């Protein structure tokens, strides 16, 4: 896992590289007592992109469940000699 802008008040970037196939749960967590929070999470997995809006008033909220499947694809080589 790598992170960028982890101490920012308005944005953070996390990356999970080389993840194994399986189910992942995306949660938003913060310290108690902060009041309601809302925002949008931008997900990029391979060539797929999704924006997931969220809002919550508590210490944590489940925002998304991600089922990651790996698929092998045989691609023909162009101009093979």
């Amino acid at each position: 896992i790598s992170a960028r802008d982890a101490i920012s008040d308005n944005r953070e970037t996390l990356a999970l590289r080389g993840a194994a196939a399986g189910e992942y749960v995306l949660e938003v967590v913060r310290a108690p007592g902060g009041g309601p929070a809302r925002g949008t999470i931008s997900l990029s997995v391979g060539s797929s992109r999704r924006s997931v809006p969220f809002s919550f008033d508590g210490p944590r909220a489940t925002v998304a469940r991600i089922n990651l499947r790996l698929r092998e694809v045989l691609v023909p080589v162009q101009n093979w000699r």
Side-chain angles (χ1 to χ4, degrees):
I1 297 177
S2 63
R4 188 174 9 161
D5 298 326
I7 60 172
S8 173
D9 290 340
N10 60 5
R11 65 178 286 150
E12 183 174 358
T13 302
L14 297 173
L16 177 61
R17 297 192 186 274
E23 186 171 303
Y24 294 84
V25 177
L26 179 61
E27 293 184 330
V28 179
V29 180
R30 65 183 179 148
R38 66 178 181 266
T40 303
I41 295 177
S42 299
L43 298 171
S44 299
V45 179
S47 61
S48 298
R49 308 233 184 293
R50 301 267 169 98
S51 290
V52 181
F54 69 90
S55 64
F56 69 107
D57 186 14
R60 94 180 326 143
T62 298
V63 175
R65 294 185 188 278
I66 302 159
N67 187 2
L68 181 60
R69 294 179 303 239
L70 304 178
R71 180 179 69 178
E72 293 183 17
V73 177
L74 183 59
V75 178
V77 176
Q78 300 295 323
N79 301 322
W80 180 261
R81 294 180 193 213

